[in-house]
Amino acid sequence: QEQLVESGGGLVQPGGSLRLSCAGSGRIFSVAAITWYRQTPGKQRELVAVVTSGGSTNYADSVKGRFTISRDNAKNTVYLQMSSLKPEDTAVYYCNAALSIATLTPVLQWGQGTQVTVSS
């Protein structure tokens, strides 16, 4: 089954930046909207950002103006550029694919995610 692989997480100080990558390898990636989620212990996974196959984007209010999602279809990769990071951005970040823009229901098995820790 097609799977997406997240990378790029790490430890960063408040106010810093990180760029996460989501690499795909199959046909779904090229036609699907790609979504970034994050999850902290004891909480539900939260949708952070989405980029459609045509490049349209949308963001959660909590990250609007600080995060930028983009995709490079030639490389089958979606990026999440995170700036002005806050401690509350600390989470495991996951990406997935959605075939319905209306529901954004994830269609792939969840990967390992990548840990982002914002701390001084």
Side-chain angles (χ1 to χ4, degrees):
Q1 184 185 12
E2 182 169 351
Q3 192 172 7
L4 304 179
V5 179
E6 306 93 345
S7 63
L11 173 63
V12 63
Q13 291 188 341
S17 299
L18 274 177
R19 189 178 80 160
L20 306 183
S21 298
C22 170
S25 60
R27 291 186 299 172
I28 289 179
F29 185 94
S30 62
V31 300
I34 303 299
T35 51
W36 277 102
Y37 289 79
R38 65 187 180 188
Q39 188 172 28
T40 54
K43 293 189 176 181
Q44 281 194 330
R45 212 163 261 153
E46 171 194 19
L47 180 62
V48 172
V50 56
V51 59
T52 68
S53 57
S56 297
T57 60
N58 206 356
Y59 301 90
D61 287 343
S62 58
V63 306
K64 205 169 289 185
R66 300 188 298 119
F67 290 12
T68 302
I69 189 171
S70 61
R71 67 189 297 160
D72 184 338
N73 289 332
K75 295 182 178 179
N76 274 0
T77 301
V78 167
Y79 303 100
L80 186 68
Q81 178 67 47
M82 307 186 296
S83 303
S84 301
L85 283 162
K86 306 175 181 180
E88 50 264 44
D89 295 318
T90 296
V92 179
Y93 284 71
Y94 302 87
C95 60
N96 211 304
L99 297 176
S100 167
I101 299 299
T103 64
L104 294 179
T105 302
V107 297
L108 300 177
Q109 193 170 6
W110 293 101
Q112 296 292 319
T114 186
Q115 174 71 48
V116 172
T117 302
V118 184
S119 175
S120 54

